[in-house]
Amino acid sequence: MKRLLNTLYVTSPNRYLALEGENVVVFEEQQEIGRVPLHNLDSIITFGYTGASPALMGACAQRNIDLTFMSGHGRFLARITGEVKGNVILRKQQYRVSESKEERLKIAKNFVLGKLYNSRWVLERAVRDYPMRLDCEHIKTQSRRIAEAMKTVTQYEDAVALLGVEGEAATLYFSVFNQLILQQQEDFVFQGRNRRPPLDYVNALLSFSYSLLAGMCASALEGVGLDSYVGFYHTDRPGRISLALDLMEELRSVMADRFVLTLINRKMVTKNDFIKKENGAVILTDTGRKTVLSAWQTKKQDLIRHPFLEEKMEWGVVPHAQSLLLARYLRGDLEEYPPFFWK
């Protein structure tokens, strides 16, 4: 149970929410574990299938408190809102901004800055932790080149140019990614990013992890009332969750890439957890997929300190925190969208 920016997050799947007086009460196995006054909340987000009482649902609707239900894996299920709520106004503002080249670019730059900063952090952290096992000078050189690219991001006045510098930085980052694989090096070899389909074990893990992260980001955006299909950096395309892809850019390296490295380096997955299809595609077996999903759930429960909010939270809550910050920026409560700069 976690309060953040007037939002209550109930992250354990076996907790039930009920109304008692003017309070939302959280139960686990029929035992009360906490309560929060309703007047302190703007929204409640609960993960799991245990549910909430009809009385609480009605009280939230009457008081314009969003009550959002997520699956245990973070997939958006449903949201209860009151008769009058700012979500429509928020989405209209989102659509207006999405049609403005200048406004879109302003937000897109911060997404890209977050991505480049966190990519550098992953490389610098690896050099710090394993100085005797890595070609530190090569990795530091690529890190410095990414830092130089960061300095140019704010200068661009065109989305195509921004996409170009982001692509160049990604190439620099992935050029040394294979060095970060310290175990099972004969089986897990990364020679570059490939997808649709992934053609090796590492890319199969990256693609699967990115899908999990994209789903989390889409659910988080829907949870605060934003349209996950209307982005600012990724162009609109039927069926593509463009805003979720925007949001996940700054989280890819610190949430998904480091997760994949952990799976490999701790030998949580092996080559036996994959199968190769006739077209060359490499995919996880059912057992491998269960292993990855279980580890992902554990990863989401790890505590961190949010660099902007300066509050402790679980990794799984970070996309929700960023979604709230994006919504606040669109409402005019923040001067700019603060990207997630991991420290």
Side-chain angles (χ1 to χ4, degrees):
M1 195 174 94
K2 170 71 178 174
R3 277 186 58 196
L4 175 66
L5 297 177
N6 296 325
T7 298
L8 174 66
Y9 292 93
V10 182
T11 53
S12 296
N14 57 340
R15 292 179 178 175
Y16 183 78
L17 281 65
L19 179 69
E20 186 172 303
E22 292 295 311
N23 302 292
V24 54
V25 184
V26 182
F27 293 93
E28 184 170 350
E29 296 181 351
Q30 299 183 340
Q31 296 294 318
E32 179 181 332
I33 63 169
R35 61 175 56 208
V36 179
L38 285 175
H39 69 261
N40 289 340
L41 298 174
D42 290 330
S43 61
I44 302 170
I45 297 178
T46 179
F47 295 78
Y49 297 99
T50 306
S53 71
L56 177 62
M57 295 182 196
C60 288
Q62 290 176 354
R63 293 165 175 78
N64 293 322
I65 300 171
D66 278 356
L67 176 56
T68 303
F69 296 93
M70 305 281 192
S71 73
H73 295 297
R75 180 172 59 86
F76 176 79
L77 297 174
R79 180 174 62 247
I80 295 172
T81 61
E83 183 177 357
V84 179
K85 183 61 179 173
N87 285 344
V88 172
I89 298 173
L90 175 62
R91 289 203 178 197
K92 288 177 71 175
Q93 176 64 7
Q94 177 188 355
Y95 300 148
R96 280 193 291 266
V97 171
S98 72
E99 295 297 324
S100 168
K101 178 181 176 181
E102 292 182 356
E103 290 294 328
R104 287 183 58 164
L105 190 62
K106 182 179 178 181
I107 302 174
K109 286 178 180 179
N110 282 5
F111 287 139
V112 173
L113 280 173
K115 178 176 183 176
L116 271 56
Y117 180 97
N118 291 327
S119 296
R120 283 199 69 223
W121 182 88
V122 171
L123 299 184
E124 294 291 338
R125 176 70 178 265
V127 168
R128 187 194 74 184
D129 291 346
Y130 306 103
M132 305 300 293
R133 303 179 67 178
L134 302 174
D135 184 350
C136 295
E137 188 55 40
H138 184 207
I139 294 176
K140 281 179 172 284
T141 297
Q142 303 301 69
S143 176
R144 285 193 293 268
R145 293 174 69 184
I146 295 173
E148 290 299 317
M150 287 181 63
K151 295 177 182 178
T152 68
V153 167
T154 56
Q155 301 172 9
Y156 289 110
E157 300 299 331
D158 181 82
V160 175
L162 184 63
L163 185 63
V165 72
E166 184 254 325
E168 291 173 6
T171 299
L172 294 170
Y173 168 74
F174 279 123
S175 71
V176 293
F177 192 76
N178 191 60
Q179 290 194 47
L180 309 188
I181 299 173
L182 305 176
Q183 300 290 337
Q184 307 185 85
Q185 293 173 329
E186 292 185 1
D187 298 321
F188 290 87
V189 179
F190 182 81
Q191 296 179 325
R193 186 78 179 104
N194 55 67
R195 53 183 183 146
R196 298 177 185 173
L199 302 176
D200 56 66
Y201 302 150
V202 181
N203 274 290
L205 286 172
L206 287 172
S207 292
F208 188 65
S209 299
Y210 290 162
S211 295
L212 294 175
L213 181 56
M216 285 178 61
C217 290
S219 296
L221 292 163
E222 295 287 344
V224 300
L226 289 167
D227 188 336
S228 62
Y229 288 85
V230 179
F232 304 120
Y233 182 46
H234 290 81
T235 56
D236 296 340
R237 184 182 301 170
R240 182 163 78 172
I241 47 176
S242 296
L243 187 57
L245 298 179
D246 288 352
L247 187 66
M248 72 177 282
E249 287 296 346
E250 58 195 275
L251 303 177
R252 280 179 187 264
S253 57
V254 287
M255 286 193 70
D257 296 353
R258 291 187 72 232
F259 171 70
V260 166
L261 291 170
T262 298
L263 291 174
I264 298 170
N265 291 334
R266 293 185 181 177
K267 300 182 179 180
M268 300 167 71
V269 295
T270 69
K271 64 180 181 179
N272 297 323
D273 290 310
F274 302 86
I275 56 174
K276 191 169 186 177
K277 306 188 78 174
E278 292 182 1
N279 66 349
V282 175
I283 61 174
L284 284 158
T285 63
D286 288 343
T287 300
R289 191 178 300 110
K290 290 177 182 177
T291 299
V292 173
L293 286 171
S294 176
W296 182 254
Q297 289 299 96
T298 301
K299 161 74 175 177
K300 292 196 302 182
Q301 295 171 10
D302 290 344
L303 286 175
I304 63 142
R305 189 172 185 83
H306 193 283
F308 179 79
L309 298 172
E310 297 185 345
E311 289 191 37
K312 287 186 177 181
M313 66 182 68
E314 297 173 347
W315 265 115
V317 177
V318 171
H320 296 271
Q322 294 305 117
S323 297
L324 281 168
L325 291 170
L326 180 58
R328 288 199 163 192
Y329 166 71
L330 292 172
R331 288 191 177 106
D333 298 331
L334 295 172
E335 291 186 1
E336 64 177 338
Y337 166 70
F340 182 82
F341 291 141
W342 182 226
K343 300 176 181 179

